[in-house]
Amino acid sequence: MSGATVSTDVVIIGAGPTGLFAAFQCSMLKMNCILVDALDEIGGQCVALYPEKPIYDIPACPAIEGGELIEKLSEQIEPFSVPRLLGRRVEGLTGSAGDFRLETSKGDVIHAKAVIIAAGAGAFGPNRPPLEGLEEYETTGAVRYSVRRKADFEGKSLVIAGGGDSAIDWALSLSRLARKIYLVHRRDKFRAAPESLSQLEDAIARGVVEKITPYQLKGLQGSDGKLTGVEVATLQGEVRTLEAEHLLAFFGLATDLGPIAQWGIDQTRSTIPVTPSSCQTSLPGVYAIGDIATYPGKLKLILQGFSEAAMAAHAIYAIVNPNQALHFEYSTSKGVPGSP
Ligand code: FAD
């Protein structure tokens, strides 16, 4: 569906973990909602960046992979049949509480009484290295910024670039199946959890990971999108070519609010300040939750986004039902459609 006109109580911008849980919370309060995401699939960072990595700090889940968490969140909203408009970015937002109008990049028009922005890092994208011919190798998957399927790298020679947690975690994880791993960083020291650093030292000592420091990426070698080598150089101009079929670059996420920055909502450093008790932004009727929301003491954790989703949905109830007091009820009392 594209170019559609739809009306709903609440539009949720972003179908990452917090947007999905906001759909559950709105539905439990009997408010209609619609999920919109710029990506073609739900899941936000969990699916786009680390579907096969276990998360250890989701309450009651000792370990759950990013992709599996999203499957469970999707299953949780299944009884409510929440419509999903995927593969389209919300570009425009006008109106006021009770009567908002949103436009998407595919020409849809959405009328909503309230808005929840669960857009994570906003215009979603990795920081890309400035290398000649990069796009050609991105298209074929020779150069990547996330690991969707570890099995893709079985028996392969890889260059992993970056000095933080992601680069080190993936170097350690993929060292179990790759043929060779070069870990390239522009400094001698890596910035990661002490436990990861000691595992890295061990992997280097055993020869399963080769540390290439202090080197920066310089160029890509190969043809027709097939990578054969990655050129790296020191600041003094000493150049080396590392034989590799893949380059995995972990230089962090580009945080840019994209069109959201133009909607007249207060913002600070690519995040949206909210009232902590309700998650309302500076624009009445518009709420922000998850990574994009900020307030004193904010932790960019999925579990905190879940709690923000519940607070925003309860605050929105008064906008959707102006003459009705909210009677607070536990889910154990309410149940979900189809529950006994
Ligand atoms: P996101 O997951 O970023 O989803 C936002 C969605 O909004 C995206 O799908 C994007 O496409 C969409 N969007 C943005 N702008 C628009 C627009 N204008 N129109 C339509 N759609 C839009 N957290 C933990 O709690 N525990 C962990 O162990 C953990 N490990 C992590 C490991 C890695 C490698 C990474 C990268 C992150 C990790 N995180 C972890 C952080 C966690 O993934 C984020 O806190 C979480 O994904 C934030 O969820 P969100 O729903 O706010 O945003």
Side-chain angles (χ1 to χ4, degrees), residues 13-19 36-39 44-46 49-50 55 57 88-90 118-124 166 259-260 289-291 300-302:
I13 303 171
T18 62
V36 191
D37 203 294
L39 302 178
Q45 293 174 48
C46 298
L49 298 179
Y50 58 103
I55 307 172
D57 55 358
R88 64 207 74 196
R89 210 155 80 138
V90 177
F124 200 86
S166 293
I260 299 169
I289 62 171
D291 276 12
K300 282 194 183 179
L301 286 177
I302 294 167

PDB file of all heavy atoms in Angstrom, residues 13-19 36-39 44-46 49-50 55 57 88-90 118-124 166 259-260 289-291 300-302, ligand 1:
ATOM      1  N   ILE A  13       6.016   6.448  14.947  1.00  0.00           N
ATOM      2  CA  ILE A  13       7.069   6.594  13.926  1.00  0.00           C
ATOM      3  C   ILE A  13       8.276   5.796  14.387  1.00  0.00           C
ATOM      4  O   ILE A  13       8.937   6.161  15.365  1.00  0.00           O
ATOM      5  CB  ILE A  13       7.438   8.081  13.736  1.00  0.00           C
ATOM      6  CG1 ILE A  13       6.193   8.889  13.351  1.00  0.00           C
ATOM      7  CG2 ILE A  13       8.533   8.228  12.685  1.00  0.00           C
ATOM      8  CD1 ILE A  13       6.420  10.396  13.360  1.00  0.00           C
ATOM      9  N   GLY A  14       8.549   4.697  13.706  1.00  0.00           N
ATOM     10  CA  GLY A  14       9.662   3.826  14.080  1.00  0.00           C
ATOM     11  C   GLY A  14       9.142   2.509  14.623  1.00  0.00           C
ATOM     12  O   GLY A  14       8.367   2.483  15.576  1.00  0.00           O
ATOM     13  N   ALA A  15       9.559   1.413  13.973  1.00  0.00           N
ATOM     14  CA  ALA A  15       9.124   0.083  14.416  1.00  0.00           C
ATOM     15  C   ALA A  15      10.301  -0.708  14.974  1.00  0.00           C
ATOM     16  O   ALA A  15      10.459  -1.894  14.722  1.00  0.00           O
ATOM     17  CB  ALA A  15       8.463  -0.655  13.257  1.00  0.00           C
ATOM     18  N   GLY A  16      11.155  -0.013  15.743  1.00  0.00           N
ATOM     19  CA  GLY A  16      12.208  -0.686  16.504  1.00  0.00           C
ATOM     20  C   GLY A  16      11.564  -1.298  17.743  1.00  0.00           C
ATOM     21  O   GLY A  16      10.328  -1.305  17.867  1.00  0.00           O
ATOM     22  N   PRO A  17      12.368  -1.798  18.688  1.00  0.00           N
ATOM     23  CA  PRO A  17      11.772  -2.457  19.857  1.00  0.00           C
ATOM     24  C   PRO A  17      10.805  -1.567  20.631  1.00  0.00           C
ATOM     25  O   PRO A  17       9.749  -2.017  21.073  1.00  0.00           O
ATOM     26  CB  PRO A  17      12.990  -2.841  20.712  1.00  0.00           C
ATOM     27  CG  PRO A  17      14.128  -2.041  20.185  1.00  0.00           C
ATOM     28  CD  PRO A  17      13.845  -1.791  18.745  1.00  0.00           C
ATOM     29  N   THR A  18      11.143  -0.271  20.784  1.00  0.00           N
ATOM     30  CA  THR A  18      10.261   0.574  21.611  1.00  0.00           C
ATOM     31  C   THR A  18       8.988   0.951  20.858  1.00  0.00           C
ATOM     32  O   THR A  18       7.917   1.018  21.460  1.00  0.00           O
ATOM     33  CB  THR A  18      10.996   1.831  22.130  1.00  0.00           C
ATOM     34  OG1 THR A  18      11.397   2.606  21.030  1.00  0.00           O
ATOM     35  CG2 THR A  18      12.190   1.476  22.949  1.00  0.00           C
ATOM     36  N   GLY A  19       9.097   1.156  19.546  1.00  0.00           N
ATOM     37  CA  GLY A  19       7.889   1.451  18.756  1.00  0.00           C
ATOM     38  C   GLY A  19       6.934   0.265  18.795  1.00  0.00           C
ATOM     39  O   GLY A  19       5.715   0.422  18.949  1.00  0.00           O
ATOM     40  N   VAL A  36       4.888   3.045  11.471  1.00  0.00           N
ATOM     41  CA  VAL A  36       5.514   3.432  10.200  1.00  0.00           C
ATOM     42  C   VAL A  36       7.024   3.315  10.357  1.00  0.00           C
ATOM     43  O   VAL A  36       7.566   3.758  11.382  1.00  0.00           O
ATOM     44  CB  VAL A  36       5.197   4.908   9.823  1.00  0.00           C
ATOM     45  CG1 VAL A  36       5.625   5.189   8.386  1.00  0.00           C
ATOM     46  CG2 VAL A  36       3.732   5.221  10.013  1.00  0.00           C
ATOM     47  N   ASP A  37       7.693   2.709   9.374  1.00  0.00           N
ATOM     48  CA  ASP A  37       9.161   2.659   9.457  1.00  0.00           C
ATOM     49  C   ASP A  37       9.787   2.860   8.084  1.00  0.00           C
ATOM     50  O   ASP A  37       9.267   2.387   7.069  1.00  0.00           O
ATOM     51  CB  ASP A  37       9.660   1.341  10.058  1.00  0.00           C
ATOM     52  CG  ASP A  37      11.059   1.501  10.650  1.00  0.00           C
ATOM     53  OD1 ASP A  37      12.024   1.741   9.884  1.00  0.00           O
ATOM     54  OD2 ASP A  37      11.189   1.435  11.892  1.00  0.00           O
ATOM     55  N   ALA A  38      10.908   3.548   8.091  1.00  0.00           N
ATOM     56  CA  ALA A  38      11.639   3.811   6.856  1.00  0.00           C
ATOM     57  C   ALA A  38      12.237   2.522   6.278  1.00  0.00           C
ATOM     58  O   ALA A  38      12.420   2.399   5.069  1.00  0.00           O
ATOM     59  CB  ALA A  38      12.743   4.815   7.141  1.00  0.00           C
ATOM     60  N   LEU A  39      12.537   1.573   7.141  1.00  0.00           N
ATOM     61  CA  LEU A  39      13.139   0.316   6.666  1.00  0.00           C
ATOM     62  C   LEU A  39      12.047  -0.640   6.172  1.00  0.00           C
ATOM     63  O   LEU A  39      10.875  -0.477   6.510  1.00  0.00           O
ATOM     64  CB  LEU A  39      13.933  -0.356   7.795  1.00  0.00           C
ATOM     65  CG  LEU A  39      15.064   0.481   8.408  1.00  0.00           C
ATOM     66  CD1 LEU A  39      15.725  -0.278   9.548  1.00  0.00           C
ATOM     67  CD2 LEU A  39      16.104   0.833   7.358  1.00  0.00           C
ATOM     68  N   GLY A  44      14.179  -2.156  13.896  1.00  0.00           N
ATOM     69  CA  GLY A  44      15.175  -1.115  14.165  1.00  0.00           C
ATOM     70  C   GLY A  44      16.580  -1.673  14.264  1.00  0.00           C
ATOM     71  O   GLY A  44      16.953  -2.590  13.514  1.00  0.00           O
ATOM     72  N   GLN A  45      17.346  -1.144  15.215  1.00  0.00           N
ATOM     73  CA  GLN A  45      18.760  -1.546  15.354  1.00  0.00           C
ATOM     74  C   GLN A  45      18.912  -3.044  15.610  1.00  0.00           C
ATOM     75  O   GLN A  45      19.854  -3.662  15.143  1.00  0.00           O
ATOM     76  CB  GLN A  45      19.411  -0.789  16.516  1.00  0.00           C
ATOM     77  CG  GLN A  45      19.551   0.699  16.275  1.00  0.00           C
ATOM     78  CD  GLN A  45      20.054   1.429  17.502  1.00  0.00           C
ATOM     79  OE1 GLN A  45      21.033   1.030  18.134  1.00  0.00           O
ATOM     80  NE2 GLN A  45      19.380   2.511  17.861  1.00  0.00           N
ATOM     81  N   CYS A  46      17.981  -3.628  16.371  1.00  0.00           N
ATOM     82  CA  CYS A  46      18.110  -5.057  16.734  1.00  0.00           C
ATOM     83  C   CYS A  46      18.189  -5.949  15.502  1.00  0.00           C
ATOM     84  O   CYS A  46      18.943  -6.916  15.470  1.00  0.00           O
ATOM     85  CB  CYS A  46      16.916  -5.502  17.574  1.00  0.00           C
ATOM     86  SG  CYS A  46      16.764  -4.634  19.107  1.00  0.00           S
ATOM     87  N   LEU A  49      21.195  -4.214  12.815  1.00  0.00           N
ATOM     88  CA  LEU A  49      22.610  -4.198  13.216  1.00  0.00           C
ATOM     89  C   LEU A  49      23.092  -5.444  13.943  1.00  0.00           C
ATOM     90  O   LEU A  49      24.266  -5.781  13.883  1.00  0.00           O
ATOM     91  CB  LEU A  49      22.891  -2.974  14.092  1.00  0.00           C
ATOM     92  CG  LEU A  49      22.659  -1.618  13.418  1.00  0.00           C
ATOM     93  CD1 LEU A  49      22.959  -0.498  14.392  1.00  0.00           C
ATOM     94  CD2 LEU A  49      23.527  -1.463  12.186  1.00  0.00           C
ATOM     95  N   TYR A  50      22.205  -6.096  14.708  1.00  0.00           N
ATOM     96  CA  TYR A  50      22.732  -7.252  15.462  1.00  0.00           C
ATOM     97  C   TYR A  50      21.696  -8.360  15.675  1.00  0.00           C
ATOM     98  O   TYR A  50      21.428  -8.786  16.794  1.00  0.00           O
ATOM     99  CB  TYR A  50      23.361  -6.799  16.794  1.00  0.00           C
ATOM    100  CG  TYR A  50      22.458  -6.051  17.752  1.00  0.00           C
ATOM    101  CD1 TYR A  50      21.923  -6.689  18.865  1.00  0.00           C
ATOM    102  CD2 TYR A  50      22.142  -4.722  17.555  1.00  0.00           C
ATOM    103  CE1 TYR A  50      21.107  -6.009  19.764  1.00  0.00           C
ATOM    104  CE2 TYR A  50      21.331  -4.030  18.447  1.00  0.00           C
ATOM    105  CZ  TYR A  50      20.811  -4.687  19.542  1.00  0.00           C
ATOM    106  OH  TYR A  50      20.008  -4.022  20.427  1.00  0.00           O
ATOM    107  N   ILE A  55      21.327 -10.416  23.596  1.00  0.00           N
ATOM    108  CA  ILE A  55      21.153  -9.289  24.522  1.00  0.00           C
ATOM    109  C   ILE A  55      20.956  -9.946  25.892  1.00  0.00           C
ATOM    110  O   ILE A  55      20.167 -10.886  26.019  1.00  0.00           O
ATOM    111  CB  ILE A  55      19.899  -8.467  24.162  1.00  0.00           C
ATOM    112  CG1 ILE A  55      19.927  -8.045  22.687  1.00  0.00           C
ATOM    113  CG2 ILE A  55      19.751  -7.246  25.061  1.00  0.00           C
ATOM    114  CD1 ILE A  55      18.637  -7.408  22.201  1.00  0.00           C
ATOM    115  N   ASP A  57      20.331  -8.065  28.888  1.00  0.00           N
ATOM    116  CA  ASP A  57      19.689  -7.248  29.929  1.00  0.00           C
ATOM    117  C   ASP A  57      18.225  -6.941  29.624  1.00  0.00           C
ATOM    118  O   ASP A  57      17.729  -5.866  29.922  1.00  0.00           O
ATOM    119  CB  ASP A  57      20.482  -5.952  30.175  1.00  0.00           C
ATOM    120  CG  ASP A  57      20.705  -5.135  28.912  1.00  0.00           C
ATOM    121  OD1 ASP A  57      20.275  -5.578  27.839  1.00  0.00           O
ATOM    122  OD2 ASP A  57      21.306  -4.051  29.005  1.00  0.00           O
ATOM    123  N   ARG A  88       8.911   3.297   4.225  1.00  0.00           N
ATOM    124  CA  ARG A  88       8.588   4.706   3.963  1.00  0.00           C
ATOM    125  C   ARG A  88       8.899   5.547   5.194  1.00  0.00           C
ATOM    126  O   ARG A  88       8.632   5.145   6.314  1.00  0.00           O
ATOM    127  CB  ARG A  88       7.131   4.863   3.545  1.00  0.00           C
ATOM    128  CG  ARG A  88       6.152   4.484   4.610  1.00  0.00           C
ATOM    129  CD  ARG A  88       4.855   4.042   4.018  1.00  0.00           C
ATOM    130  NE  ARG A  88       4.963   2.726   3.436  1.00  0.00           N
ATOM    131  CZ  ARG A  88       4.084   2.214   2.581  1.00  0.00           C
ATOM    132  NH1 ARG A  88       3.067   2.918   2.180  1.00  0.00           N
ATOM    133  NH2 ARG A  88       4.221   0.988   2.111  1.00  0.00           N
ATOM    134  N   ARG A  89       9.517   6.691   4.920  1.00  0.00           N
ATOM    135  CA  ARG A  89       9.926   7.592   5.987  1.00  0.00           C
ATOM    136  C   ARG A  89       8.828   8.606   6.244  1.00  0.00           C
ATOM    137  O   ARG A  89       8.204   9.075   5.279  1.00  0.00           O
ATOM    138  CB  ARG A  89      11.173   8.336   5.507  1.00  0.00           C
ATOM    139  CG  ARG A  89      12.108   8.733   6.600  1.00  0.00           C
ATOM    140  CD  ARG A  89      13.482   8.883   6.044  1.00  0.00           C
ATOM    141  NE  ARG A  89      13.626  10.176   5.381  1.00  0.00           N
ATOM    142  CZ  ARG A  89      14.717  10.929   5.516  1.00  0.00           C
ATOM    143  NH1 ARG A  89      15.710  10.529   6.265  1.00  0.00           N
ATOM    144  NH2 ARG A  89      14.821  12.067   4.881  1.00  0.00           N
ATOM    145  N   VAL A  90       8.571   8.934   7.492  1.00  0.00           N
ATOM    146  CA  VAL A  90       7.637  10.031   7.758  1.00  0.00           C
ATOM    147  C   VAL A  90       8.411  11.321   7.499  1.00  0.00           C
ATOM    148  O   VAL A  90       9.450  11.565   8.103  1.00  0.00           O
ATOM    149  CB  VAL A  90       7.089   9.984   9.197  1.00  0.00           C
ATOM    150  CG1 VAL A  90       6.180  11.179   9.444  1.00  0.00           C
ATOM    151  CG2 VAL A  90       6.323   8.692   9.425  1.00  0.00           C
ATOM    152  N   ALA A 118       9.368   7.132  17.873  1.00  0.00           N
ATOM    153  CA  ALA A 118      10.256   6.082  18.411  1.00  0.00           C
ATOM    154  C   ALA A 118      11.321   5.823  17.345  1.00  0.00           C
ATOM    155  O   ALA A 118      11.545   4.697  16.925  1.00  0.00           O
ATOM    156  CB  ALA A 118       9.449   4.818  18.707  1.00  0.00           C
ATOM    157  N   ALA A 119      11.939   6.926  16.900  1.00  0.00           N
ATOM    158  CA  ALA A 119      12.775   6.869  15.692  1.00  0.00           C
ATOM    159  C   ALA A 119      14.245   6.592  15.964  1.00  0.00           C
ATOM    160  O   ALA A 119      15.077   6.746  15.064  1.00  0.00           O
ATOM    161  CB  ALA A 119      12.603   8.166  14.910  1.00  0.00           C
ATOM    162  N   GLY A 120      14.592   6.166  17.170  1.00  0.00           N
ATOM    163  CA  GLY A 120      15.976   5.753  17.460  1.00  0.00           C
ATOM    164  C   GLY A 120      16.979   6.842  17.141  1.00  0.00           C
ATOM    165  O   GLY A 120      16.899   7.951  17.647  1.00  0.00           O
ATOM    166  N   ALA A 121      17.890   6.523  16.253  1.00  0.00           N
ATOM    167  CA  ALA A 121      18.917   7.486  15.871  1.00  0.00           C
ATOM    168  C   ALA A 121      18.433   8.371  14.723  1.00  0.00           C
ATOM    169  O   ALA A 121      19.229   9.034  14.072  1.00  0.00           O
ATOM    170  CB  ALA A 121      20.180   6.750  15.478  1.00  0.00           C
ATOM    171  N   GLY A 122      17.121   8.363  14.474  1.00  0.00           N
ATOM    172  CA  GLY A 122      16.569   9.190  13.399  1.00  0.00           C
ATOM    173  C   GLY A 122      16.895   8.590  12.058  1.00  0.00           C
ATOM    174  O   GLY A 122      16.730   7.389  11.866  1.00  0.00           O
ATOM    175  N   ALA A 123      17.372   9.435  11.141  1.00  0.00           N
ATOM    176  CA  ALA A 123      17.742   8.916   9.818  1.00  0.00           C
ATOM    177  C   ALA A 123      18.852   7.892  10.067  1.00  0.00           C
ATOM    178  O   ALA A 123      19.966   8.235  10.420  1.00  0.00           O
ATOM    179  CB  ALA A 123      18.215  10.036   8.935  1.00  0.00           C
ATOM    180  N   PHE A 124      18.487   6.647   9.901  1.00  0.00           N
ATOM    181  CA  PHE A 124      19.271   5.513  10.351  1.00  0.00           C
ATOM    182  C   PHE A 124      20.409   5.223   9.387  1.00  0.00           C
ATOM    183  O   PHE A 124      20.176   5.081   8.211  1.00  0.00           O
ATOM    184  CB  PHE A 124      18.290   4.344  10.330  1.00  0.00           C
ATOM    185  CG  PHE A 124      18.654   3.189  11.152  1.00  0.00           C
ATOM    186  CD1 PHE A 124      18.307   3.145  12.480  1.00  0.00           C
ATOM    187  CD2 PHE A 124      19.320   2.136  10.580  1.00  0.00           C
ATOM    188  CE1 PHE A 124      18.610   2.051  13.232  1.00  0.00           C
ATOM    189  CE2 PHE A 124      19.632   1.038  11.332  1.00  0.00           C
ATOM    190  CZ  PHE A 124      19.273   0.994  12.667  1.00  0.00           C
ATOM    191  N   SER A 166      31.748  -2.847  19.223  1.00  0.00           N
ATOM    192  CA  SER A 166      31.214  -3.632  18.101  1.00  0.00           C
ATOM    193  C   SER A 166      32.330  -4.323  17.343  1.00  0.00           C
ATOM    194  O   SER A 166      32.246  -5.522  17.038  1.00  0.00           O
ATOM    195  CB  SER A 166      30.435  -2.736  17.132  1.00  0.00           C
ATOM    196  OG  SER A 166      29.284  -2.267  17.755  1.00  0.00           O
ATOM    197  N   PRO A 259      14.132  14.344   8.705  1.00  0.00           N
ATOM    198  CA  PRO A 259      12.989  15.276   8.594  1.00  0.00           C
ATOM    199  C   PRO A 259      12.419  15.697   9.948  1.00  0.00           C
ATOM    200  O   PRO A 259      11.842  16.770  10.069  1.00  0.00           O
ATOM    201  CB  PRO A 259      11.961  14.471   7.793  1.00  0.00           C
ATOM    202  CG  PRO A 259      12.413  13.054   7.802  1.00  0.00           C
ATOM    203  CD  PRO A 259      13.879  13.064   8.046  1.00  0.00           C
ATOM    204  N   ILE A 260      12.623  14.861  10.977  1.00  0.00           N
ATOM    205  CA  ILE A 260      12.049  15.154  12.301  1.00  0.00           C
ATOM    206  C   ILE A 260      12.546  16.506  12.826  1.00  0.00           C
ATOM    207  O   ILE A 260      11.839  17.208  13.542  1.00  0.00           O
ATOM    208  CB  ILE A 260      12.406  14.005  13.292  1.00  0.00           C
ATOM    209  CG1 ILE A 260      11.817  12.689  12.781  1.00  0.00           C
ATOM    210  CG2 ILE A 260      11.928  14.292  14.709  1.00  0.00           C
ATOM    211  CD1 ILE A 260      12.303  11.447  13.501  1.00  0.00           C
ATOM    212  N   ILE A 289      10.008   8.449  22.575  1.00  0.00           N
ATOM    213  CA  ILE A 289      10.439   7.343  23.450  1.00  0.00           C
ATOM    214  C   ILE A 289      11.648   6.629  22.833  1.00  0.00           C
ATOM    215  O   ILE A 289      11.938   6.801  21.650  1.00  0.00           O
ATOM    216  CB  ILE A 289       9.291   6.317  23.663  1.00  0.00           C
ATOM    217  CG1 ILE A 289       8.883   5.683  22.318  1.00  0.00           C
ATOM    218  CG2 ILE A 289       8.086   6.970  24.329  1.00  0.00           C
ATOM    219  CD1 ILE A 289       7.917   4.505  22.476  1.00  0.00           C
ATOM    220  N   GLY A 290      12.324   5.839  23.644  1.00  0.00           N
ATOM    221  CA  GLY A 290      13.463   5.059  23.138  1.00  0.00           C
ATOM    222  C   GLY A 290      14.696   5.933  22.966  1.00  0.00           C
ATOM    223  O   GLY A 290      14.812   7.002  23.574  1.00  0.00           O
ATOM    224  N   ASP A 291      15.594   5.497  22.107  1.00  0.00           N
ATOM    225  CA  ASP A 291      16.893   6.167  21.961  1.00  0.00           C
ATOM    226  C   ASP A 291      16.780   7.642  21.614  1.00  0.00           C
ATOM    227  O   ASP A 291      17.688   8.421  21.922  1.00  0.00           O
ATOM    228  CB  ASP A 291      17.713   5.471  20.855  1.00  0.00           C
ATOM    229  CG  ASP A 291      18.448   4.256  21.379  1.00  0.00           C
ATOM    230  OD1 ASP A 291      18.143   3.823  22.511  1.00  0.00           O
ATOM    231  OD2 ASP A 291      19.316   3.731  20.652  1.00  0.00           O
ATOM    232  N   LYS A 300      20.209   4.792  27.341  1.00  0.00           N
ATOM    233  CA  LYS A 300      19.767   4.316  26.026  1.00  0.00           C
ATOM    234  C   LYS A 300      19.725   2.792  26.053  1.00  0.00           C
ATOM    235  O   LYS A 300      20.577   2.114  25.493  1.00  0.00           O
ATOM    236  CB  LYS A 300      20.703   4.812  24.929  1.00  0.00           C
ATOM    237  CG  LYS A 300      20.443   6.252  24.560  1.00  0.00           C
ATOM    238  CD  LYS A 300      21.139   6.618  23.268  1.00  0.00           C
ATOM    239  CE  LYS A 300      20.942   8.084  22.951  1.00  0.00           C
ATOM    240  NZ  LYS A 300      21.610   8.495  21.733  1.00  0.00           N
ATOM    241  N   LEU A 301      18.737   2.268  26.756  1.00  0.00           N
ATOM    242  CA  LEU A 301      18.568   0.822  26.876  1.00  0.00           C
ATOM    243  C   LEU A 301      17.157   0.457  26.449  1.00  0.00           C
ATOM    244  O   LEU A 301      16.211   1.231  26.663  1.00  0.00           O
ATOM    245  CB  LEU A 301      18.765   0.373  28.331  1.00  0.00           C
ATOM    246  CG  LEU A 301      20.191   0.360  28.859  1.00  0.00           C
ATOM    247  CD1 LEU A 301      20.197  -0.024  30.324  1.00  0.00           C
ATOM    248  CD2 LEU A 301      21.058  -0.616  28.061  1.00  0.00           C
ATOM    249  N   ILE A 302      17.013  -0.729  25.895  1.00  0.00           N
ATOM    250  CA  ILE A 302      15.709  -1.178  25.421  1.00  0.00           C
ATOM    251  C   ILE A 302      14.712  -1.204  26.579  1.00  0.00           C
ATOM    252  O   ILE A 302      13.561  -0.784  26.437  1.00  0.00           O
ATOM    253  CB  ILE A 302      15.853  -2.569  24.764  1.00  0.00           C
ATOM    254  CG1 ILE A 302      16.711  -2.437  23.495  1.00  0.00           C
ATOM    255  CG2 ILE A 302      14.490  -3.159  24.447  1.00  0.00           C
ATOM    256  CD1 ILE A 302      17.184  -3.747  22.919  1.00  0.00           C
TER     257      ILE A 302
HETATM  258  P1  FAD B   1      15.731   1.895  16.899  1.00  0.00           P
HETATM  259  O1  FAD B   1      15.970   0.481  17.233  1.00  0.00           O
HETATM  260  O2  FAD B   1      16.885   2.711  16.450  1.00  0.00           O
HETATM  261  O3  FAD B   1      14.566   1.946  15.810  1.00  0.00           O
HETATM  262  C1  FAD B   1      14.164   3.194  15.275  1.00  0.00           C
HETATM  263  C2  FAD B   1      13.432   2.954  13.963  1.00  0.00           C
HETATM  264  O4  FAD B   1      12.877   4.228  13.535  1.00  0.00           O
HETATM  265  C3  FAD B   1      14.335   2.498  12.836  1.00  0.00           C
HETATM  266  O5  FAD B   1      13.860   1.275  12.325  1.00  0.00           O
HETATM  267  C4  FAD B   1      14.287   3.651  11.800  1.00  0.00           C
HETATM  268  O6  FAD B   1      14.277   3.162  10.472  1.00  0.00           O
HETATM  269  C5  FAD B   1      12.961   4.300  12.126  1.00  0.00           C
HETATM  270  N1  FAD B   1      12.892   5.710  11.702  1.00  0.00           N
HETATM  271  C6  FAD B   1      13.735   6.724  12.002  1.00  0.00           C
HETATM  272  N2  FAD B   1      13.300   7.892  11.467  1.00  0.00           N
HETATM  273  C7  FAD B   1      12.144   7.585  10.805  1.00  0.00           C
HETATM  274  C8  FAD B   1      11.219   8.358  10.032  1.00  0.00           C
HETATM  275  N3  FAD B   1      11.353   9.674   9.849  1.00  0.00           N
HETATM  276  N4  FAD B   1      10.164   7.702   9.463  1.00  0.00           N
HETATM  277  C9  FAD B   1       9.977   6.357   9.636  1.00  0.00           C
HETATM  278  N5  FAD B   1      10.823   5.590  10.367  1.00  0.00           N
HETATM  279  C10 FAD B   1      11.886   6.199  10.948  1.00  0.00           C
HETATM  280  N6  FAD B   1      20.397  -2.111  24.135  1.00  0.00           N
HETATM  281  C11 FAD B   1      20.158  -2.822  25.262  1.00  0.00           C
HETATM  282  O7  FAD B   1      19.247  -2.498  26.022  1.00  0.00           O
HETATM  283  N7  FAD B   1      20.918  -3.938  25.548  1.00  0.00           N
HETATM  284  C12 FAD B   1      21.926  -4.380  24.735  1.00  0.00           C
HETATM  285  O8  FAD B   1      22.613  -5.364  25.037  1.00  0.00           O
HETATM  286  C13 FAD B   1      22.173  -3.645  23.527  1.00  0.00           C
HETATM  287  N8  FAD B   1      23.143  -4.050  22.652  1.00  0.00           N
HETATM  288  C14 FAD B   1      23.346  -3.326  21.505  1.00  0.00           C
HETATM  289  C15 FAD B   1      24.323  -3.772  20.592  1.00  0.00           C
HETATM  290  C16 FAD B   1      24.547  -3.071  19.435  1.00  0.00           C
HETATM  291  C17 FAD B   1      25.590  -3.569  18.465  1.00  0.00           C
HETATM  292  C18 FAD B   1      23.785  -1.885  19.162  1.00  0.00           C
HETATM  293  C19 FAD B   1      24.023  -1.107  17.892  1.00  0.00           C
HETATM  294  C20 FAD B   1      22.827  -1.447  20.053  1.00  0.00           C
HETATM  295  C21 FAD B   1      22.604  -2.155  21.237  1.00  0.00           C
HETATM  296  N9  FAD B   1      21.622  -1.752  22.148  1.00  0.00           N
HETATM  297  C22 FAD B   1      21.386  -2.485  23.272  1.00  0.00           C
HETATM  298  C23 FAD B   1      20.854  -0.519  21.940  1.00  0.00           C
HETATM  299  C24 FAD B   1      19.451  -0.828  21.437  1.00  0.00           C
HETATM  300  O9  FAD B   1      19.496  -1.581  20.230  1.00  0.00           O
HETATM  301  C25 FAD B   1      18.708   0.481  21.241  1.00  0.00           C
HETATM  302  O10 FAD B   1      18.613   1.125  22.503  1.00  0.00           O
HETATM  303  C26 FAD B   1      17.313   0.214  20.697  1.00  0.00           C
HETATM  304  O11 FAD B   1      17.358  -0.391  19.426  1.00  0.00           O
HETATM  305  C27 FAD B   1      16.551   1.532  20.595  1.00  0.00           C
HETATM  306  O12 FAD B   1      15.273   1.205  20.141  1.00  0.00           O
HETATM  307  P2  FAD B   1      14.349   2.292  19.446  1.00  0.00           P
HETATM  308  O13 FAD B   1      13.074   1.582  19.136  1.00  0.00           O
HETATM  309  O14 FAD B   1      14.317   3.523  20.280  1.00  0.00           O
HETATM  310  O15 FAD B   1      15.122   2.719  18.119  1.00  0.00           O
END
